[in-house]
């Protein structure tokens, strides 16, 4: 179950008119009188699928499937609402949905097949890249779903583009019957409602009089429309609101109309009345209609356009469909998108309440006087906000709204603003002044006389509204006063920037952080507004010269997203059997698109089932003095509280014995489990857990890497870990140049869509069955057995599927299963635990933050001679997997470059954060990033293009890595050359150079980055897999293996392997689940090894059966069917069951002796990316990405390409967007040790809007890998680092901006500069010094804060 943003996974549609909404935030009682449609209602596996469901499944748009129902409903709602859907509209239909697996491209392709303008999609159907049939590598066309024509394509390179899919896909059947609108609702007449529940009374009045009567009777009642704020408060802040009122049928609050000048005494212009309960979608549609209709003069629409600009990026479609403007005002969020618009335009609010005579009295108030303090407004007891009146703009009055967030789509603002000025021609101002002087017998004011010499315009009035700069939405009053009467020119704006600094004197301790960035954004918005207004006036206003050079116009450019396109290219190999190598869909896709696929929390509750919630530490480091659960135990529905004293077995988890299941004496981080509460419902358990009182004696806390280094706080070997090759000291002495630097990489939240969850079901004789969302069933049963004090053979763990894992469920999931099992064993009742999103993020660990210090020696021709690197990882408070994570970082410190002398040293820092853990790449991306930072530094020091330096030093076949492993079948140069050719790299460079010369405030950059990723568990014993294969008498095949399915398509590949080995169709093979009583002692599904080890185990099991069947098969006629063969085999008493086992040969590196192969083989890839950066805000857009990936002979090209796209998108988040913020010395506005970025409200992963506009994937052809099943290669982790191509393309764009600044000022800001990861908007903007940052006093090399 997903908390806070449940629409990520589950959507609902209200039909008539159709609109989608967020289930978790919407009260069912509020939909009285509506027709509600769910994903189950539009289609299912028994009655047939809706075309939406079919397309998403067929286009490989579902991997883990947890988000799929919500995505299906978002598309369905858009199609129901939009009879003529367009490519562009469909591209924007998913702004309220997230997916962590797919990379979004296949979902968008599926959606576009419904577009009426699909034929206008750009791109070619087939890439002309092949040779001849004689070469066995000619090209063909295949539309990338399993029904496509693969026969006869052996040895062919297949290319499928977005355009070719749209041309080939079946069109939506317009005659298909949709769900009919219920007859009962066609003539539905609403009535007043008063529904009393056990804890809440719900009112729905029909008139304003009725509404104010209820509010007078219940002055503390909450008025809710979309429930978007109250829903959050009740769920996460445990607020109680016994009376709720829905005003959506009160006519005055639903008004939306234009009013002529004079209708409102406060305005001399036309205005628009907006009812407080009108949905944001309705406002958007109405305003858009007014602007586009031509009924209004363009100069009158400024206020409407400002609102529309903010609504474009306001939350999501699901929220806009139910959220209202009144809620946006009354909640008084300091980072509101709309409030700055109402502030800047001097809008008026209307309130209503009953007076002493019982009549309705109205009160009007300017918005500027409404906000009193943080979340406090001038709304009096018993009063109702009725409407807001928005004035239209007049001639020479300009309004513009701005917003910058961590992500454009569905994100709250860092800073939002609306700026308004009213100008007056200086000639007109002078005439007025002369007339006044003549009438009063005085002289013309000196300021006006000075302006007359300049010409242009004078500022009559200015009002600037901001969000994110104060504890309320606020006006920049000092700046406004300063501007009045001044000339509208660049000098005035530059001076106004300094005044903004006085209006908003933020500092390091300001809540929200990012003080310098927020101030800089205010200045940037002002400059953008200045350019925007100058463009509108279109007159010469500075001494007869054009106001702005042409390149300055780029300041106002906004990111417009055209329709994205992509191409997927792969090869079908003649050596592969029919089933293997075919791009078949994920075997669960058709269940996932209908919502029928079951996850742990979807399982029907078992008899007498209980629910549990963790009791967590709120102290980063301290001794536990007392635990008092008495208040919690007295609460309704609570069945028990269990802590360390209640554990019958070992209170110990983890591989190293350094972690307790429940803290007994000492807590080491905020979020450490101290106990578990069990209750009748999940809600009761969560609320009761908050009532357990714990007293601590606080101890000193280490909160980041720098603190750990200072205190010498390490995990693992205290001396650290070292890999060394050659003589680095001598290498530096022989180098012509030496540079030193530092690179920091922030942590990353897994953000699997299904949070940690488990169900413990006790049975007789101490048995326990665990149904878990885990990558590690074997460790789960071991940990549960230890906690219960029983043997492992009495515990079974079963895994059907996970809603994502990415490494986060490799070890951390077992703790929650064990906690539930302890309670279940004690109470003899089933216990389920499902973590809320904020709890999951705060307690279960993330990707390790790293700090790398490097020293590089090299010659002037670019030859690398020596590298000395120190890696420090933030491990959290206990070991978990931090040591092998650090090891992999050290193994990958060379990336693809041969450096004869390397010294790589690393330490795992022990800090008072939750133990950080495995995450896709497992330390590899961090080590690779430090390597590329060093390469980038060298290139800038030499003035050499980065791609030239990289190619010069790239590994060659047969060379050895720094850990002494010989590289065989090293394909990185082939992949590099193919990628360079596909993108026409030099041409792209020239395009960027031309663009950058023409645009001062928009810059483009390109980068091409290679990767080498080692494949194996670095712990030798884990490189093993098992499988069990049964064939039943009807010929059907049941496969069980040691791997778990988390969306990566492992089960699908195993089905293909089994079908290929047995020579049967894939439909004959089924995998039900992973279970420890079927295949014991399994390795975790991790390290990208699962297809290799389990595939070989499945293959060997099938081989055994095939060998047994061969004599019988040979004795039968050739046309004997499979079913007949198996039937006869049964009667011949042939064993139709087999167990397969596989261990990876020749792996196991020993750090003590620095010997042994670290990996079984390596995967290689190359990525090119082109980006465009807004220099003034730090926002960026990925224009194009091309990836060439070596996957050997692909077991399933569709799944492998899906993994590449998904990993790349996750890497995009790691390197450019996703930022963990912890309470530490850099973030003093937070409580020490607490995680600020909890939940999707504060933590942002890439969305549909972040997909590269052109996204091309090519699987390297003719690259078989003899070391894995069917010559394939691992795919889950290797592509992730390729997203660093975006990071380094961004860095190139920043370098272009810095070069411009150097030309302007000669301040030397070009050349090498530090850009830490992730390259957020803050880091990008602050790396681009300009006259605005200089005016604010920001140092040229300012480095934003970070949690490392």
């Amino acid at each position: 179950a997903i908390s806070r943003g449940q629409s990520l996974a589950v959507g609902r549609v209200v039909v008539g008119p159709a609109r989608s909404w967020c289930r978790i935030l919407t009260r069912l009682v509020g939909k009285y009188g509506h027709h509600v449609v769910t994903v189950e209602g539009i289609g299912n596996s028994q009655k047939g699928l809706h075309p939406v469901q079919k397309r998403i499944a067929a286009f490989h748009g579902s991997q883990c499937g947890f988000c799929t129902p919500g995505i299906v409903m978002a598309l369905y709602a858009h199609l129901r609402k939009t009879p003529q859907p367009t490519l562009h509209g469909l591209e924007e239909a998913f702004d309220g949905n997230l997916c962590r697996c797919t990379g979004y491209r296949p979902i968008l392709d599926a959606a576009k097949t419904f577009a009426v303008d699909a034929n206008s999609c750009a791109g070619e159907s087939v890439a002309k890249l092949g040779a001849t049939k004689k070469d066995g590598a000619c090209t063909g066309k295949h539309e990338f779903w399993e029904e496509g024509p693969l026969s006869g394509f052996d040895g062919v390179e297949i290319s499928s583009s977005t355009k070719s899919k749209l041309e080939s896909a079946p069109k939506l059947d317009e005659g298909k019957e949709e769900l009919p609108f219920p007859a009962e609702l066609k003539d539905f007449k609403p009535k007043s409602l008063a529904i009393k529940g056990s804890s809440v009374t719900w009112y729905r009045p029909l008139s304003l009089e009725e509404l104010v009567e209820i509010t007078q009777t219940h002055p503390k009642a909450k008025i809710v429309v979309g429930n978007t704020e109250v829903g959050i408060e009740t769920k996460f802040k445990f607020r109680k609101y016994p009376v709720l009122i829905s005003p959506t049928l009160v006519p005055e609050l639903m008004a939306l109309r234009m009013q002529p000048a004079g209708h409102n005494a406060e305005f001399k212009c036309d205005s628009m009345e907006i009812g407080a309960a009108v949905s944001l979608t309705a406002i958007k549609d109405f305003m858009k209609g007014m602007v586009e209709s031509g009924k209004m003069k363009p100069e009158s629409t400024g206020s409407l356009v400002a609102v529309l600009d903010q609504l474009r990026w306001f939350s999501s479609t699901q929220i806009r469909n139910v959220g209202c403007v009144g809620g946006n005002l009354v909640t008084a969020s300091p980072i509101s998108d709309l409030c700055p618009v109402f502030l800047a335009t001097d809008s008026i609010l209307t309130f209503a309440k009953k007076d002493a005579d019982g009549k309705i009295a109205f009160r009007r108030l300017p918005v500027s006087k409404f906000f009193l303090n943080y979340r406090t407004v001038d709304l009096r007891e018993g009063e109702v906000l009725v409407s807001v009146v928005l004035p239209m703009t007049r001639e020479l009055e300009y309004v513009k709204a701005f917003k910058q967030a961590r992500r454009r789509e569905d994100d709250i603002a860092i800073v939002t603003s609306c700026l308004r000025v009213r100008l007056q021609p200086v000639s007109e101002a002078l005439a007025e002044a002369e007339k006044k002087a003549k009438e009063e017998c005085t002289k013309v004011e000196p300021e006006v006389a000075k302006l007359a010499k300049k010409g242009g315009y004078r500022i009559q009035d200015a009002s600037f509204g901001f969000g994110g700069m104060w504890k309320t939405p606020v006006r920049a009053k000092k700046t406004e006063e300063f501007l009045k009467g001044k000339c509208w020119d660049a000098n005035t704006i530059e001076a106004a920037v300094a005044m903004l600094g006085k209006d908003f004197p933020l500092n390091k301790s300001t809540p929200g952080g990012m003080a310098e960035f927020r101030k800089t954004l205010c200045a940037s918005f002002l400059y953008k507004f200045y350019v925007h207004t100058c463009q509108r006036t279109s007159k010469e206003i500075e001494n007869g010269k054009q106001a702005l050079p042409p390149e300055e116009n780029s300041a106002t450019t906004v990111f417009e997203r055209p329709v994205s396109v992509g191409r997927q290219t792969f090869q079908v190999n003649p050596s592969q059997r029919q089933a293997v190598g075919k791009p078949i869909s994920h075997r669960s896709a058709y269940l996932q698109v209908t919502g029928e696929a079951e996850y742990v929390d979807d399982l029907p509750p078992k008899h007498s089932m209980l629910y549990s919630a963790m009791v967590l530490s709120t102290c980063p480091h301290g001794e536990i003095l007392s635990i008092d659960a008495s208040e919690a135990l007295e609460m309704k529905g609570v069945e028990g509280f269990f802590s360390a004293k209640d554990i019958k077995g070992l209170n110990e988890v983890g591989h190293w014995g350094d972690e307790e299941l429940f803290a007994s004496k000492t807590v080491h981080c905020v979020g450490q489990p101290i106990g578990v509460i069990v209750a009748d419902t999940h809600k009761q358990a969560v609320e009761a857990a908050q009532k357990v009182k714990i007293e601590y004696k606080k101890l000193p806390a280490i909160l980041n890497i720098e603190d750990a280094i200072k205190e010498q706080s390490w995990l693992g070997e205290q001396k650290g870990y070292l890999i060394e090759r050659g003589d680095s000291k001598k290498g530096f002495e022989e180098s012509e140049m030496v540079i030193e630097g530092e690179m920091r990489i922030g942590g990353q939240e897994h953000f699997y869509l299904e949070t940690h969850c488990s169900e413990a079901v006790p049975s007789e004789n101490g048995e326990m069955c665990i149904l878990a969302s885990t990558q590690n069933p074997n460790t789960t049963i071991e940990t549960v057995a230890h906690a219960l004090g029983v043997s492992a053979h009495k515990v079974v763990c079963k895994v059907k599927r996970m809603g994502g894992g990415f490494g986060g469920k490799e070890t951390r999931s077992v703790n929650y299963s064990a906690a539930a099992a302890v309670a279940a064993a004690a109470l003899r009742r089933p216990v389920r635990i499902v973590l809320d999103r904020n709890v999951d993020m705060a307690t279960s660990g993330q990707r390790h933050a790293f700090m790398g210090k490097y020293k590089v020696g090299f010659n002037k021709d670019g030859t690398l001679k020596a590298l000395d690197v120190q890696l420090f990882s933030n491990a959290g408070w206990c070991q978990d997997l931090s040591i092998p994570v650090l090891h992999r970082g050290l193994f990958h410190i060379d990336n693809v470059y041969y450096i004869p002398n390397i010294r790589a040293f690393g330490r795992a820092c022990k800090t008072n954060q939750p133990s950080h853990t495995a995450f896709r790449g497992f330390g590899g991306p961090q080590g690779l990033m430090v390597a590329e930072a060093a390469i980038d530094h060298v290139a800038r020091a030499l003035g050499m293009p980065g791609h030239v330096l990289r190619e010069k030093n790239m590994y060659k076949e047969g060379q050895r890595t720094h850990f002494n492993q010989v590289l065989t079948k090293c394909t990185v140069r082939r992949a590099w050359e193919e990628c360079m050719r596909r993108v026409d790299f030099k041409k792209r460079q020239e395009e960027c150079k031309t663009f950058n010369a023409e645009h001062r405030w928009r810059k483009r950059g390109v980068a091409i980055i290679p990767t080498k990723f080692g494949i194996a568990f670095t712990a030798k014993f884990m490189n093993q897999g098992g499988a069990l294969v049964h064939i039943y008498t009807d010929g059907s095949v049941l496969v069980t293996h040691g791997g778990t399915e988390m969306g990566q398509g492992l089960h699908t590949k195993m089905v293909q392997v089994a079908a290929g080995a047995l020579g049967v169709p894939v439909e004959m093979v089924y995998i039900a689940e992973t279970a420890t009583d079927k295949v014991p002692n399994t390795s975790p599904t991790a390290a990208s090894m699962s297809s290799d080890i389990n595939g070989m185990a499945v293959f060997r099991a099938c081989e055994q059966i095939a060998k047994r069947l061969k004599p019988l098969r040979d004795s039968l006629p050739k046309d004997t069917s499979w079913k007949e063969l198996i039937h006869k085999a049964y009667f011949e008493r042939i064993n139709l069951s087999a167990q397969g086992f596989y261990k990876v040969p020749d792996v196991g590196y020993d750090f003590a002796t620095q010997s042994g192969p670290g990996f079984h083989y390596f995967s290689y890839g190359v990525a090119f990316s082109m980006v465009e950066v807004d220099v003034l805000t730090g926002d960026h857009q990925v224009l194009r990405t091309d990836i060439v990936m070596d996957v050997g002979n692909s077991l399933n090209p569709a799944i492998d390409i899906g993994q590449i796209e998904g990993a790349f998108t996750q890497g995009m988040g790691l390197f450019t967007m996703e930022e963990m913020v912890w309470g530490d010395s850099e973030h003093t506005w937070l409580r020490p040790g607490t995680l600020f970025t909890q939940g999707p409200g504060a933590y942002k992963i890439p969305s549909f809007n972040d997909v590269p506009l052109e996204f091309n994937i090519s699987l390297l052809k003719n690259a078989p890998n003899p070391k894995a099943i069917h010559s394939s290669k691992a795919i889950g982790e290797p592509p992730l680092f390729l997203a660093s191509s975006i990071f380094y393309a961004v860095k190139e764009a920043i370098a272009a901006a810095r070069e411009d600044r150097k030309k302007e000022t000669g301040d030397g800001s070009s050349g090498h500069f530090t850009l830490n990861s992730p390259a957020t908007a803050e880091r990008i903007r602050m790396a681009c010094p300009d006259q605005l940052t200089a005016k604010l006093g920001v140092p040229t090399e300012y480095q934003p804060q970070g949690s490392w």
Side-chain angles (χ1 to χ4, degrees), residues 621-634:
H621 193 200
E623 295 177 7
I624 298 174
L625 300 179
S626 66
I627 302 174
D628 181 6
S630 57
E631 184 180 352
L633 292 171
E634 291 174 1

Side-chain angles (χ1 to χ4, degrees), residues 967-1156:
L967 297 178
T968 58
K969 291 191 175 294
C970 179
T971 59
V972 66
R973 286 183 177 268
R974 278 187 57 204
W976 176 273
E977 290 164 3
E978 182 172 329
C979 191
M980 291 282 284
R981 176 174 61 86
R982 284 179 179 273
V983 303
D984 198 347
F985 186 79
K986 290 184 178 179
K987 180 181 178 181
R988 303 301 165 211
Q989 275 192 315
E990 288 302 314
E991 288 175 355
C992 286
K993 186 176 180 181
T994 300
F995 180 90
N996 292 340
E998 296 171 352
H999 299 81
R1000 174 62 182 93
W1001 302 110
R1002 307 287 279 206
K1003 296 297 178 184
R1004 289 184 177 178
V1006 295
I1008 183 166
I1009 300 293
T1011 191
K1012 168 178 63 67
F1013 195 87
I1015 304 302
F1017 286 102
T1018 51
K1020 182 177 180 178
F1021 72 91
M1022 297 175 75
N1023 291 283
Q1024 58 177 297
L1028 181 64
V1029 176
H1030 299 315
I1031 301 178
Y1032 294 90
T1033 55
D1034 64 353
S1036 62
V1037 183
L1038 178 66
V1039 175
T1040 306
H1041 61 89
T1044 56
E1045 177 61 54
M1046 54 187 136
Q1048 82 280 39
L1050 177 61
H1051 283 353
T1052 304
K1053 286 185 175 182
M1054 296 303 96
V1055 164
Q1056 290 176 274
V1057 169
L1062 296 172
V1064 300
V1066 292
E1067 292 76 18
M1068 295 290 290
V1069 185
Y1070 184 66
I1071 296 177
E1073 63 185 3
T1074 304
T1076 56
D1077 59 350
K1078 304 296 189 298
V1079 179
N1081 309 319
T1082 59
S1083 294
T1085 306
S1088 303
M1089 283 293 292
S1090 297
S1091 291
D1092 287 10
I1093 58 176
N1094 295 298
M1096 284 300 297
V1098 169
F1099 183 76
R1100 288 184 173 182
C1102 292
E1103 270 192 327
Q1104 293 174 44
I1105 300 175
K1107 186 176 180 180
R1108 296 173 199 154
L1109 289 172
K1110 188 176 187 305
L1112 177 62
R1113 185 192 291 270
D1114 292 344
S1115 69
L1116 296 172
K1118 290 186 177 180
D1119 60 352
T1120 302
S1121 69
W1122 170 256
K1123 289 185 178 181
E1124 289 174 325
L1125 172 66
I1126 297 304
H1127 186 71
K1128 290 182 181 294
Y1130 172 72
F1131 283 97
E1132 292 293 328
R1133 296 177 297 174
I1134 295 174
N1135 184 0
L1136 297 176
S1137 178
Q1139 185 261 345
F1141 179 78
Y1142 174 73
K1143 66 177 182 179
V1144 180
D1146 304 322
V1147 290
Y1149 183 84
D1150 187 337
F1151 268 84
T1153 62
Q1154 294 200 25
S1155 64

